[in-house]
Amino acid sequence: MKYAMCPNCGKRLCKGESGTKVELECPKCGKFAYVIIENDNLHISDKPLQPQKDKLVRANA
């Protein structure tokens, strides 16, 4: 279990396990935080999460 803190004011926002992807508004300062928790990593950003788009590969005919 890992804890995510607001990158602006330091308030604890949430806790989660590997695979967690959330967008949160800090109740203290009102800034948005975008959190991704992986096995050994915790990413916190002020940039919105973007869904990964499937890449189409064109085959030569």
Side-chain angles (χ1 to χ4, degrees):
M1 195 67 63
K2 295 183 181 182
Y3 291 91
M5 311 294 264
C6 176
N8 187 53
C9 70
K11 176 153 178 71
R12 188 171 77 184
L13 299 174
C14 68
K15 64 180 179 178
E17 294 183 358
S18 180
T20 300
K21 293 181 182 182
V22 292
E23 299 179 359
L24 304 163
E25 182 178 6
C26 178
K28 184 175 180 182
C29 69
K31 298 272 184 166
F32 280 91
Y34 305 92
V35 179
I36 300 173
I37 300 175
E38 296 173 346
N39 289 335
D40 295 328
N41 296 318
L42 172 68
H43 303 281
I44 302 174
S45 176
D46 58 351
K47 296 181 181 179
L49 299 176
Q50 296 185 9
Q52 294 182 2
K53 297 177 183 176
D54 293 334
K55 294 181 181 179
L56 298 177
V57 178
R58 296 178 83 183
N60 292 334

